[in-house]
Amino acid sequence: MRLYLVKEEERLVWVAALAHEVMYSYVANTGKFHNNNALRNDFYMVRDLTYEPIGPAEARRLIDQGVGTLDEARSATSLAKWRADPNPLALADVLAMAAGSND
């Protein structure tokens, strides 16, 4: 599993995790990583955003600073979908997998 800081110009947007061509984004409002197909498509095809490889310690620091926090009103639909996600990934699990990854 590889971790990335996702940016839109200078704005920090997501802490993301890539595993087996599936891109997950950390959503601070839920405290979990969720499958984010739009982000996957951007990573592999569109590249409107930039992806900076990071390690687990940097990911934790960025998450603690609030990266991945969405506005509840403006992102209500997306947040409802992610809150209903039956298969989110726990933060501790993602960081542990990234720490043990040789990718």
Side-chain angles (χ1 to χ4, degrees), residues 43-74:
F43 181 81
Y44 283 111
M45 296 177 280
V46 180
R47 286 293 179 150
D48 284 336
L49 305 172
T50 58
Y51 298 81
E52 177 183 315
I54 58 174
E58 180 69 0
R60 171 55 99 173
R61 186 185 71 74
L62 291 162
I63 287 167
D64 288 346
Q65 288 180 348
V67 174
T69 302
L70 301 177
D71 180 277
E72 290 284 339
R74 291 178 52 196

Side-chain angles (χ1 to χ4, degrees), residues 1 4 11 16 20 24 26 29 35-36 42 59 62 69-70:
M1 180 168 294
Y4 296 92
R11 186 173 72 91
H20 309 291
Y24 299 88
Y26 180 78
N29 306 63
N35 186 331
N36 188 328
D42 185 76
L62 291 162
T69 302
L70 301 177

